[in-house]
Amino acid sequence: KIIIIKNISIYHSLGITILLGITRKKFIKELSIKNDSSSRIGGTISSCIFGMMQGVQIFRVHDVNEINQSIKVFKEFIK
């Protein structure tokens, strides 16, 4: 699972829109070990930002406002 996400940019060669359903996934628990939480919002945010940096256009998430906020703040930092 993590290998697919780490290499998600290779799918751009297919010429299609990439959607990433990343929210609250088990791999976040496996990576964060004892820092896991029920919402896994931290892992979801970092995964979305990574996906955005790899050109993912659409994210399927539960915490829409929090993800939008994190993306807006991140974009300001990289300006």
Side-chain angles (χ1 to χ4, degrees), residues 71-79:
I71 288 173
K72 285 178 183 179
V73 170
F74 179 79
K75 284 183 175 181
E76 282 298 315
F77 281 137
I78 62 171
K79 277 186 178 180

Side-chain angles (χ1 to χ4, degrees), residues 2-78:
I2 189 115
I3 293 170
I4 294 171
I5 297 167
K6 285 174 77 171
N7 296 293
I8 197 83
S9 64
I10 65 171
Y11 294 98
H12 290 298
S13 65
L14 299 174
I16 57 174
T17 302
I18 299 174
L19 178 143
L20 193 56
I22 202 89
T23 193
R24 302 180 186 166
K25 298 297 184 228
K26 185 178 177 182
F27 81 88
I28 296 170
K29 176 183 179 178
E30 292 167 353
L31 291 174
S32 59
I33 307 169
K34 62 183 173 183
N35 297 105
D36 190 36
S37 65
S38 60
S39 68
R40 298 184 180 142
I41 189 70
T44 300
I45 288 171
S46 62
S47 299
C48 286
I49 289 175
F50 179 80
M52 182 188 69
M53 292 175 64
Q54 300 301 310
V56 174
Q57 297 98 334
I58 303 171
F59 296 96
R60 185 219 165 263
V61 295
H62 291 102
D63 304 292
V64 175
N65 187 57
E66 288 81 357
I67 300 303
N68 280 334
Q69 180 187 55
S70 66
I71 288 173
K72 285 178 183 179
V73 170
F74 179 79
K75 284 183 175 181
E76 282 298 315
F77 281 137
I78 62 171

